[in-house]
């Protein structure tokens, strides 16, 4: 279906990428991603290092996907299998159960988080259940002058439980950042996923050990899969997007078949040899909205690696939470790099991102031990 309508997207992509080239030249941006990095107030050297380190470590994904194929009893996997589950979770978490558990988990860190969650429930700031006409997925909407709202589609699953934790991470970040006032309460896009994944993984760690062994395998697999999608897949998308921008700038026009081939080249690079890509897979570019929001995908990888670093420090020293709370209250008062350096996380160090990727390797080790 995507291939059939690709002739439209061929013209659309070439047009908007050419328009981007003209804007960049008028404004003096040296690279296709420079405008986005400046908008997110990041250091270009840090973003380039993030991209390089993650790309150099796609082998972590290859290792995981070999395990995934064995769990699915397959010699090879298709592109459409990248999100496939390896089993069905039978443990159910009702919405009330989820809220009760999260109050205990977050309240054990600081009672203010349980109080905020309770306030949201009482004030109707959480729209919990799916219904006809409601958008799928989950979302947190916040602004300085209006109440924060959390929109969910809770279906009594463990995934729904961790999704509440994820969206409440956004909510906590937004609530505490209001202390910066109307000018600086909005945090950078590159830090938007840091608080959300931090609270999600805190909730995950609190319950995964209580599950039957088989369900621990499924949950851990899904967590690793999500980490890979958030970090490696997004950087693979960045690489695809960058090569496409540069090719259009060089040649003036790139046909849809070549765009599809570039897509497959970069997706194959991160997925590894166990995956078998076919030419039609490349037409995912038609519906991939991320590449129309130029290079914002790096913010996913940046945010998650930082949350992993925070979580590691907190596990080693619970008193580090005061530093995390300082981050949650910082909003956009400074650049992301400076806000993080103030709390003891220096993303400018050459080995920082490689250290952050070790959290995924640790989880893969745990998965192998469970198997």
């Amino acid at each position: 279906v995507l291939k059939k309508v690709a002739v439209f997207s061929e013209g659309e992509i070439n047009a908007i990428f050419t328009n981007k080239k003209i804007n960049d030249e008028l404004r003096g941006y040296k690279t296709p991603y420079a405008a986005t990095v400046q908008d997110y107030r990041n250091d270009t050297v840090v973003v380039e290092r993030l991209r390089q380190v993650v790309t150099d470590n796609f082998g972590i994904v290859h290792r995981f996907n070999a395990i995934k194929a064995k769990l699915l009893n397959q010699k090879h996997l298709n592109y459409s299998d990248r999100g496939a589950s390896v089993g069905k979770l039978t443990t159910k978490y009702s919405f009330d159960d989820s809220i009760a558990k999260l109050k205990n988990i977050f309240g054990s860190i600081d009672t203010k988080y349980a109080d905020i969650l309770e306030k949201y429930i009482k004030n109707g700031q959480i729209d919990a259940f799916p219904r006809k006409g409601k958008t799928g997925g989950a979302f947190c909407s916040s602004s300085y002058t209006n109440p924060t709202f959390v929109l969910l589609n809770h279906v009594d699953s463990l995934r729904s439980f961790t999704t509440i934790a994820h969206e409440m991470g956004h909510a906590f970040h937004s609530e505490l950042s209001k202390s910066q006032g109307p000018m600086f309460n909005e945090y950078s896009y590159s830090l938007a996923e840091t608080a959300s994944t931090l609270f999600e993984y805190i909730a995950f760690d609190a319950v995964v050990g209580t599950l039957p062994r088989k369900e621990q395998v499924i949950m851990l697999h899904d967590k690793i899969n999500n980490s890979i999608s958030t970090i490696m897949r997004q950087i693979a998308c960045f690489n695809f997007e960058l090569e496409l921008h540069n090719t259009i700038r060089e040649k003036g026009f790139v046909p849809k078949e070549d765009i599809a081939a570039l897509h497959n080249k970069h997706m194959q690079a991160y997925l590894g040899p166990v995956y078998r890509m076919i030419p039609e897979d490349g037409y995912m570019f038609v519906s991939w909205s991320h590449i129309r929001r130029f290079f914002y995908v790096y913010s996913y990888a940046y945010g998650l690696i930082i949350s992993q670093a925070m979580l590691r420090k907190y596990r080693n020293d619970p008193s580090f939470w005061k530093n995390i709370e300082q981050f949650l209250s910082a909003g956009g008062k400074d650049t992301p790099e400076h806000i993080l350096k103030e709390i003891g996380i220096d993303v400018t160090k050459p080995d920082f991102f490689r250290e952050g990727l070790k959290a995924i390797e640790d989880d893969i080790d745990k998965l192998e031990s469970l198997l």
Side-chain angles (χ1 to χ4, degrees):
V1 170
L2 294 176
K3 187 176 181 181
K4 285 179 182 177
V5 299
V7 65
F8 174 84
S9 293
E10 176 188 69
E12 172 239 349
I13 286 290
N14 277 279
I16 64 171
F17 277 40
T18 300
N19 187 61
K20 173 78 162 64
K21 169 181 177 286
I22 294 166
N23 279 324
D24 284 351
E25 288 174 347
L26 288 170
R27 289 162 175 78
Y29 289 117
K30 303 297 184 186
T31 64
Y33 53 82
T36 300
V37 173
Q38 179 175 301
D39 186 31
Y40 295 176
R41 303 181 70 194
N42 281 123
D43 183 328
T44 301
V45 173
V46 170
V47 173
E48 289 171 345
R49 185 179 294 135
L50 165 68
R51 172 186 166 239
Q52 192 60 57
V53 169
V54 173
T55 302
D56 289 345
N57 285 277
F58 281 163
I60 296 171
V61 188
H62 304 172
R63 177 189 168 199
F64 170 72
N65 282 335
I67 299 169
K68 183 186 183 79
K70 288 181 181 179
L71 286 168
L72 292 169
N73 295 315
Q74 300 293 319
K75 289 184 178 179
H76 300 289
L77 297 172
N78 299 318
Y79 187 56
S80 55
D81 295 325
R82 64 193 182 280
S85 180
V86 296
K88 191 172 182 180
L89 295 166
T90 58
T91 301
K92 299 290 185 185
Y93 278 28
S94 71
F95 181 70
D96 289 341
D97 287 341
S98 295
I99 294 299
K101 286 181 183 294
L102 290 173
K103 280 184 190 174
N104 287 331
I105 294 166
F106 298 155
S108 67
I109 299 171
D110 192 308
T111 56
K112 72 161 67 70
Y113 302 109
D115 292 342
I116 291 171
L117 181 52
E118 177 65 25
K119 182 184 78 171
Y120 277 29
I121 296 293
K122 285 183 177 178
N123 292 349
Q125 290 172 249
I126 299 180
D127 185 349
F129 303 107
R131 62 181 180 273
K132 188 175 180 179
K134 185 177 179 181
T135 299
F139 190 73
C140 177
S141 175
S142 62
S143 70
Y144 184 73
T145 54
N146 296 316
T148 298
F149 287 93
V150 173
L151 310 175
L152 308 169
N153 282 282
H154 193 91
V155 291
D156 293 356
S157 66
L158 280 163
R159 179 61 182 160
S160 292
F161 165 76
T162 56
T163 298
I164 300 173
H166 182 102
E167 298 306 327
M168 286 307 301
H170 285 305
F172 296 145
H173 198 181
S174 298
E175 290 283 351
L176 296 181
S177 288
K178 288 182 179 181
S179 63
Q180 296 297 329
M183 290 294 291
F184 300 112
N185 73 99
E186 291 188 11
Y187 39 83
S188 167
Y189 249 117
S190 64
L191 294 175
E193 292 301 312
T194 300
S196 58
T197 51
L198 175 69
F199 281 91
E200 177 184 351
Y201 287 166
I202 287 171
F204 176 94
D205 290 344
V207 301
V208 67
T210 67
L211 301 174
R213 189 181 185 87
K214 184 178 179 181
E215 295 201 357
Q216 288 185 43
V217 169
I218 297 167
M219 280 285 283
L220 192 52
H221 164 276
D222 290 352
K223 179 190 177 188
I224 299 167
N225 216 58
N226 183 61
S227 296
I228 285 170
S229 179
T230 305
I231 297 175
M232 279 76 168
R233 177 171 165 77
Q234 302 305 335
I235 293 302
C237 179
F238 188 105
N239 293 341
F240 160 53
E241 197 179 338
L242 179 60
E243 185 168 1
L244 183 54
H245 274 277
N246 285 334
T247 306
I248 289 174
R249 291 179 182 206
E250 178 188 346
K251 296 183 177 180
F253 185 88
V254 177
K256 58 186 182 299
E257 295 82 5
D258 291 354
I259 299 175
L262 277 180
H263 170 279
N264 278 6
K265 169 187 169 182
H266 289 287
M267 296 307 106
Q268 184 75 71
Y270 101 90
L271 287 168
V274 78
Y275 274 79
R276 291 290 185 262
M277 307 284 291
I278 60 173
E280 285 74 16
D281 292 329
Y283 290 93
M284 283 294 295
F285 85 84
V286 171
S287 63
W288 203 344
S289 63
H290 295 58
I291 62 173
R292 278 85 170 172
R293 295 177 62 187
F294 306 120
F295 298 101
Y296 102 103
V297 290
Y298 86 80
S299 65
Y300 287 108
Y302 186 95
L304 180 55
I305 289 180
I306 289 163
S307 78
Q308 296 278 22
M310 287 182 182
L311 195 53
R312 273 189 158 202
K313 285 179 175 289
Y314 173 59
R315 283 172 179 156
N316 291 332
D317 178 12
S319 70
F320 185 74
W321 191 265
K322 68 180 185 297
N323 300 60
I324 293 175
E325 190 154 302
Q326 183 180 331
F327 157 77
L328 294 172
S329 304
K333 70 168 188 172
D334 206 334
T335 66
E337 283 79 16
H338 287 167
I339 288 170
L340 294 167
K341 195 165 187 177
E342 283 182 355
I343 67 164
I345 294 177
D346 188 355
V347 298
T348 64
K349 288 183 176 178
D351 60 348
F352 173 80
F353 293 112
R354 182 65 190 87
E355 286 294 315
L357 293 177
K358 285 183 179 178
I360 300 176
E361 292 180 290
D362 290 345
D363 282 340
I364 295 173
D365 291 341
K366 289 176 191 173
L367 180 61
E368 286 189 318
S369 68
L370 282 170
L371 295 171

PDB file of all heavy atoms in Angstrom, residues 325-351:
ATOM      1  N   GLU A 325      16.154  15.552  41.549  1.00  0.00           N
ATOM      2  CA  GLU A 325      15.086  16.524  41.771  1.00  0.00           C
ATOM      3  C   GLU A 325      15.514  17.923  41.311  1.00  0.00           C
ATOM      4  O   GLU A 325      14.694  18.701  40.809  1.00  0.00           O
ATOM      5  CB  GLU A 325      14.681  16.548  43.242  1.00  0.00           C
ATOM      6  CG  GLU A 325      13.424  17.355  43.475  1.00  0.00           C
ATOM      7  CD  GLU A 325      12.669  16.906  44.712  1.00  0.00           C
ATOM      8  OE1 GLU A 325      12.290  15.731  44.797  1.00  0.00           O
ATOM      9  OE2 GLU A 325      12.469  17.758  45.584  1.00  0.00           O
ATOM     10  N   GLN A 326      16.778  18.216  41.444  1.00  0.00           N
ATOM     11  CA  GLN A 326      17.288  19.488  40.937  1.00  0.00           C
ATOM     12  C   GLN A 326      17.122  19.545  39.421  1.00  0.00           C
ATOM     13  O   GLN A 326      16.734  20.580  38.861  1.00  0.00           O
ATOM     14  CB  GLN A 326      18.773  19.633  41.302  1.00  0.00           C
ATOM     15  CG  GLN A 326      19.394  20.960  40.875  1.00  0.00           C
ATOM     16  CD  GLN A 326      20.865  21.055  41.272  1.00  0.00           C
ATOM     17  OE1 GLN A 326      21.299  20.462  42.262  1.00  0.00           O
ATOM     18  NE2 GLN A 326      21.639  21.782  40.487  1.00  0.00           N
ATOM     19  N   PHE A 327      17.386  18.415  38.760  1.00  0.00           N
ATOM     20  CA  PHE A 327      17.172  18.328  37.306  1.00  0.00           C
ATOM     21  C   PHE A 327      15.693  18.490  36.968  1.00  0.00           C
ATOM     22  O   PHE A 327      15.334  19.237  36.043  1.00  0.00           O
ATOM     23  CB  PHE A 327      17.678  16.980  36.790  1.00  0.00           C
ATOM     24  CG  PHE A 327      17.050  16.550  35.492  1.00  0.00           C
ATOM     25  CD1 PHE A 327      17.450  17.124  34.290  1.00  0.00           C
ATOM     26  CD2 PHE A 327      16.048  15.583  35.473  1.00  0.00           C
ATOM     27  CE1 PHE A 327      16.861  16.740  33.093  1.00  0.00           C
ATOM     28  CE2 PHE A 327      15.448  15.204  34.278  1.00  0.00           C
ATOM     29  CZ  PHE A 327      15.860  15.776  33.086  1.00  0.00           C
ATOM     30  N   LEU A 328      14.814  17.804  37.694  1.00  0.00           N
ATOM     31  CA  LEU A 328      13.374  17.859  37.421  1.00  0.00           C
ATOM     32  C   LEU A 328      12.813  19.268  37.595  1.00  0.00           C
ATOM     33  O   LEU A 328      11.795  19.617  36.993  1.00  0.00           O
ATOM     34  CB  LEU A 328      12.622  16.891  38.341  1.00  0.00           C
ATOM     35  CG  LEU A 328      12.882  15.397  38.138  1.00  0.00           C
ATOM     36  CD1 LEU A 328      12.223  14.583  39.251  1.00  0.00           C
ATOM     37  CD2 LEU A 328      12.370  14.935  36.773  1.00  0.00           C
ATOM     38  N   SER A 329      13.481  20.085  38.402  1.00  0.00           N
ATOM     39  CA  SER A 329      13.016  21.445  38.676  1.00  0.00           C
ATOM     40  C   SER A 329      13.687  22.500  37.810  1.00  0.00           C
ATOM     41  O   SER A 329      13.373  23.686  37.927  1.00  0.00           O
ATOM     42  CB  SER A 329      13.275  21.789  40.158  1.00  0.00           C
ATOM     43  OG  SER A 329      12.673  20.846  41.016  1.00  0.00           O
ATOM     44  N   ALA A 330      14.596  22.076  36.931  1.00  0.00           N
ATOM     45  CA  ALA A 330      15.424  23.046  36.196  1.00  0.00           C
ATOM     46  C   ALA A 330      14.742  23.623  34.970  1.00  0.00           C
ATOM     47  O   ALA A 330      15.137  24.694  34.489  1.00  0.00           O
ATOM     48  CB  ALA A 330      16.750  22.389  35.789  1.00  0.00           C
ATOM     49  N   GLY A 331      13.716  22.937  34.444  1.00  0.00           N
ATOM     50  CA  GLY A 331      13.048  23.435  33.249  1.00  0.00           C
ATOM     51  C   GLY A 331      14.036  23.695  32.126  1.00  0.00           C
ATOM     52  O   GLY A 331      14.864  22.839  31.797  1.00  0.00           O
ATOM     53  N   GLY A 332      13.962  24.911  31.540  1.00  0.00           N
ATOM     54  CA  GLY A 332      14.885  25.289  30.484  1.00  0.00           C
ATOM     55  C   GLY A 332      15.745  26.468  30.880  1.00  0.00           C
ATOM     56  O   GLY A 332      16.063  27.325  30.046  1.00  0.00           O
ATOM     57  N   LYS A 333      16.138  26.512  32.146  1.00  0.00           N
ATOM     58  CA  LYS A 333      16.891  27.670  32.647  1.00  0.00           C
ATOM     59  C   LYS A 333      18.286  27.783  32.033  1.00  0.00           C
ATOM     60  O   LYS A 333      18.910  28.837  32.085  1.00  0.00           O
ATOM     61  CB  LYS A 333      17.010  27.594  34.172  1.00  0.00           C
ATOM     62  CG  LYS A 333      17.923  26.489  34.672  1.00  0.00           C
ATOM     63  CD  LYS A 333      18.234  26.634  36.156  1.00  0.00           C
ATOM     64  CE  LYS A 333      19.296  25.636  36.601  1.00  0.00           C
ATOM     65  NZ  LYS A 333      19.752  25.873  37.960  1.00  0.00           N
ATOM     66  N   ASP A 334      18.787  26.665  31.460  1.00  0.00           N
ATOM     67  CA  ASP A 334      20.134  26.656  30.892  1.00  0.00           C
ATOM     68  C   ASP A 334      20.165  25.605  29.788  1.00  0.00           C
ATOM     69  O   ASP A 334      19.154  24.952  29.510  1.00  0.00           O
ATOM     70  CB  ASP A 334      21.160  26.334  31.989  1.00  0.00           C
ATOM     71  CG  ASP A 334      22.540  26.906  31.694  1.00  0.00           C
ATOM     72  OD1 ASP A 334      22.856  27.104  30.493  1.00  0.00           O
ATOM     73  OD2 ASP A 334      23.310  27.147  32.635  1.00  0.00           O
ATOM     74  N   THR A 335      21.312  25.417  29.172  1.00  0.00           N
ATOM     75  CA  THR A 335      21.430  24.375  28.163  1.00  0.00           C
ATOM     76  C   THR A 335      21.329  23.006  28.833  1.00  0.00           C
ATOM     77  O   THR A 335      21.664  22.868  30.026  1.00  0.00           O
ATOM     78  CB  THR A 335      22.771  24.460  27.426  1.00  0.00           C
ATOM     79  OG1 THR A 335      23.825  24.169  28.359  1.00  0.00           O
ATOM     80  CG2 THR A 335      22.984  25.837  26.823  1.00  0.00           C
ATOM     81  N   PRO A 336      20.899  21.977  28.109  1.00  0.00           N
ATOM     82  CA  PRO A 336      20.844  20.635  28.700  1.00  0.00           C
ATOM     83  C   PRO A 336      22.179  20.195  29.285  1.00  0.00           C
ATOM     84  O   PRO A 336      22.227  19.618  30.381  1.00  0.00           O
ATOM     85  CB  PRO A 336      20.427  19.747  27.523  1.00  0.00           C
ATOM     86  CG  PRO A 336      19.637  20.651  26.643  1.00  0.00           C
ATOM     87  CD  PRO A 336      20.316  21.993  26.751  1.00  0.00           C
ATOM     88  N   GLU A 337      23.274  20.484  28.561  1.00  0.00           N
ATOM     89  CA  GLU A 337      24.592  20.062  29.041  1.00  0.00           C
ATOM     90  C   GLU A 337      24.941  20.717  30.382  1.00  0.00           C
ATOM     91  O   GLU A 337      25.486  20.063  31.284  1.00  0.00           O
ATOM     92  CB  GLU A 337      25.663  20.396  27.994  1.00  0.00           C
ATOM     93  CG  GLU A 337      25.701  19.445  26.809  1.00  0.00           C
ATOM     94  CD  GLU A 337      24.608  19.718  25.776  1.00  0.00           C
ATOM     95  OE1 GLU A 337      24.011  20.815  25.810  1.00  0.00           O
ATOM     96  OE2 GLU A 337      24.348  18.838  24.937  1.00  0.00           O
ATOM     97  N   HIS A 338      24.622  21.999  30.546  1.00  0.00           N
ATOM     98  CA  HIS A 338      24.929  22.692  31.793  1.00  0.00           C
ATOM     99  C   HIS A 338      24.015  22.236  32.931  1.00  0.00           C
ATOM    100  O   HIS A 338      24.471  22.079  34.074  1.00  0.00           O
ATOM    101  CB  HIS A 338      24.809  24.206  31.596  1.00  0.00           C
ATOM    102  CG  HIS A 338      25.921  24.790  30.792  1.00  0.00           C
ATOM    103  ND1 HIS A 338      25.882  26.068  30.274  1.00  0.00           N
ATOM    104  CD2 HIS A 338      27.102  24.259  30.391  1.00  0.00           C
ATOM    105  CE1 HIS A 338      27.003  26.308  29.614  1.00  0.00           C
ATOM    106  NE2 HIS A 338      27.750  25.222  29.659  1.00  0.00           N
ATOM    107  N   ILE A 339      22.738  22.029  32.634  1.00  0.00           N
ATOM    108  CA  ILE A 339      21.808  21.531  33.660  1.00  0.00           C
ATOM    109  C   ILE A 339      22.277  20.179  34.183  1.00  0.00           C
ATOM    110  O   ILE A 339      22.268  19.929  35.402  1.00  0.00           O
ATOM    111  CB  ILE A 339      20.386  21.419  33.076  1.00  0.00           C
ATOM    112  CG1 ILE A 339      19.781  22.811  32.872  1.00  0.00           C
ATOM    113  CG2 ILE A 339      19.476  20.585  33.977  1.00  0.00           C
ATOM    114  CD1 ILE A 339      18.479  22.821  32.094  1.00  0.00           C
ATOM    115  N   LEU A 340      22.726  19.318  33.281  1.00  0.00           N
ATOM    116  CA  LEU A 340      23.183  17.978  33.679  1.00  0.00           C
ATOM    117  C   LEU A 340      24.512  18.043  34.433  1.00  0.00           C
ATOM    118  O   LEU A 340      24.713  17.318  35.415  1.00  0.00           O
ATOM    119  CB  LEU A 340      23.305  17.083  32.451  1.00  0.00           C
ATOM    120  CG  LEU A 340      21.974  16.758  31.760  1.00  0.00           C
ATOM    121  CD1 LEU A 340      22.202  16.144  30.391  1.00  0.00           C
ATOM    122  CD2 LEU A 340      21.132  15.819  32.626  1.00  0.00           C
ATOM    123  N   LYS A 341      25.402  18.922  33.991  1.00  0.00           N
ATOM    124  CA  LYS A 341      26.708  19.021  34.656  1.00  0.00           C
ATOM    125  C   LYS A 341      26.544  19.488  36.099  1.00  0.00           C
ATOM    126  O   LYS A 341      27.285  19.052  36.995  1.00  0.00           O
ATOM    127  CB  LYS A 341      27.617  19.976  33.890  1.00  0.00           C
ATOM    128  CG  LYS A 341      29.083  19.859  34.289  1.00  0.00           C
ATOM    129  CD  LYS A 341      29.989  20.536  33.276  1.00  0.00           C
ATOM    130  CE  LYS A 341      31.456  20.258  33.622  1.00  0.00           C
ATOM    131  NZ  LYS A 341      32.367  20.854  32.611  1.00  0.00           N
ATOM    132  N   GLU A 342      25.555  20.341  36.345  1.00  0.00           N
ATOM    133  CA  GLU A 342      25.292  20.818  37.708  1.00  0.00           C
ATOM    134  C   GLU A 342      24.921  19.690  38.661  1.00  0.00           C
ATOM    135  O   GLU A 342      25.124  19.800  39.862  1.00  0.00           O
ATOM    136  CB  GLU A 342      24.161  21.854  37.698  1.00  0.00           C
ATOM    137  CG  GLU A 342      24.580  23.234  37.215  1.00  0.00           C
ATOM    138  CD  GLU A 342      23.432  24.231  37.265  1.00  0.00           C
ATOM    139  OE1 GLU A 342      22.290  23.819  37.585  1.00  0.00           O
ATOM    140  OE2 GLU A 342      23.665  25.418  36.985  1.00  0.00           O
ATOM    141  N   ILE A 343      24.359  18.599  38.130  1.00  0.00           N
ATOM    142  CA  ILE A 343      23.944  17.495  39.009  1.00  0.00           C
ATOM    143  C   ILE A 343      24.914  16.313  38.927  1.00  0.00           C
ATOM    144  O   ILE A 343      24.618  15.217  39.408  1.00  0.00           O
ATOM    145  CB  ILE A 343      22.509  17.028  38.704  1.00  0.00           C
ATOM    146  CG1 ILE A 343      22.412  16.379  37.327  1.00  0.00           C
ATOM    147  CG2 ILE A 343      21.532  18.187  38.823  1.00  0.00           C
ATOM    148  CD1 ILE A 343      21.149  15.568  37.120  1.00  0.00           C
ATOM    149  N   GLY A 344      26.062  16.521  38.306  1.00  0.00           N
ATOM    150  CA  GLY A 344      27.090  15.481  38.310  1.00  0.00           C
ATOM    151  C   GLY A 344      27.057  14.545  37.126  1.00  0.00           C
ATOM    152  O   GLY A 344      27.640  13.457  37.175  1.00  0.00           O
ATOM    153  N   ILE A 345      26.396  14.935  36.039  1.00  0.00           N
ATOM    154  CA  ILE A 345      26.373  14.118  34.823  1.00  0.00           C
ATOM    155  C   ILE A 345      26.999  14.943  33.702  1.00  0.00           C
ATOM    156  O   ILE A 345      26.443  15.946  33.262  1.00  0.00           O
ATOM    157  CB  ILE A 345      24.938  13.690  34.457  1.00  0.00           C
ATOM    158  CG1 ILE A 345      24.390  12.738  35.526  1.00  0.00           C
ATOM    159  CG2 ILE A 345      24.894  13.031  33.076  1.00  0.00           C
ATOM    160  CD1 ILE A 345      22.953  12.317  35.303  1.00  0.00           C
ATOM    161  N   ASP A 346      28.165  14.511  33.239  1.00  0.00           N
ATOM    162  CA  ASP A 346      28.915  15.270  32.237  1.00  0.00           C
ATOM    163  C   ASP A 346      28.854  14.545  30.893  1.00  0.00           C
ATOM    164  O   ASP A 346      29.620  13.614  30.631  1.00  0.00           O
ATOM    165  CB  ASP A 346      30.365  15.435  32.686  1.00  0.00           C
ATOM    166  CG  ASP A 346      31.147  16.391  31.787  1.00  0.00           C
ATOM    167  OD1 ASP A 346      30.575  16.834  30.772  1.00  0.00           O
ATOM    168  OD2 ASP A 346      32.308  16.689  32.102  1.00  0.00           O
ATOM    169  N   VAL A 347      27.920  14.987  30.040  1.00  0.00           N
ATOM    170  CA  VAL A 347      27.736  14.327  28.744  1.00  0.00           C
ATOM    171  C   VAL A 347      28.822  14.713  27.754  1.00  0.00           C
ATOM    172  O   VAL A 347      28.893  14.157  26.654  1.00  0.00           O
ATOM    173  CB  VAL A 347      26.348  14.646  28.146  1.00  0.00           C
ATOM    174  CG1 VAL A 347      25.241  14.141  29.038  1.00  0.00           C
ATOM    175  CG2 VAL A 347      26.182  16.138  27.866  1.00  0.00           C
ATOM    176  N   THR A 348      29.683  15.673  28.122  1.00  0.00           N
ATOM    177  CA  THR A 348      30.763  16.074  27.217  1.00  0.00           C
ATOM    178  C   THR A 348      31.953  15.124  27.295  1.00  0.00           C
ATOM    179  O   THR A 348      32.850  15.192  26.455  1.00  0.00           O
ATOM    180  CB  THR A 348      31.235  17.507  27.524  1.00  0.00           C
ATOM    181  OG1 THR A 348      31.809  17.544  28.842  1.00  0.00           O
ATOM    182  CG2 THR A 348      30.087  18.499  27.426  1.00  0.00           C
ATOM    183  N   LYS A 349      31.973  14.237  28.295  1.00  0.00           N
ATOM    184  CA  LYS A 349      33.064  13.273  28.393  1.00  0.00           C
ATOM    185  C   LYS A 349      32.972  12.288  27.228  1.00  0.00           C
ATOM    186  O   LYS A 349      31.889  11.779  26.922  1.00  0.00           O
ATOM    187  CB  LYS A 349      32.988  12.517  29.720  1.00  0.00           C
ATOM    188  CG  LYS A 349      33.374  13.351  30.926  1.00  0.00           C
ATOM    189  CD  LYS A 349      33.358  12.514  32.195  1.00  0.00           C
ATOM    190  CE  LYS A 349      33.830  13.323  33.396  1.00  0.00           C
ATOM    191  NZ  LYS A 349      33.773  12.516  34.650  1.00  0.00           N
ATOM    192  N   PRO A 350      34.096  11.990  26.591  1.00  0.00           N
ATOM    193  CA  PRO A 350      34.070  11.130  25.400  1.00  0.00           C
ATOM    194  C   PRO A 350      33.427   9.761  25.623  1.00  0.00           C
ATOM    195  O   PRO A 350      32.817   9.212  24.710  1.00  0.00           O
ATOM    196  CB  PRO A 350      35.562  10.985  25.047  1.00  0.00           C
ATOM    197  CG  PRO A 350      36.193  12.213  25.599  1.00  0.00           C
ATOM    198  CD  PRO A 350      35.433  12.524  26.859  1.00  0.00           C
ATOM    199  N   ASP A 351      33.568   9.199  26.832  1.00  0.00           N
ATOM    200  CA  ASP A 351      33.073   7.838  27.063  1.00  0.00           C
ATOM    201  C   ASP A 351      31.681   7.798  27.691  1.00  0.00           C
ATOM    202  O   ASP A 351      31.179   6.730  28.029  1.00  0.00           O
ATOM    203  CB  ASP A 351      34.048   7.060  27.940  1.00  0.00           C
ATOM    204  CG  ASP A 351      34.255   7.711  29.312  1.00  0.00           C
ATOM    205  OD1 ASP A 351      33.817   8.879  29.490  1.00  0.00           O
ATOM    206  OD2 ASP A 351      34.843   7.068  30.194  1.00  0.00           O
TER     207      ASP A 351
END
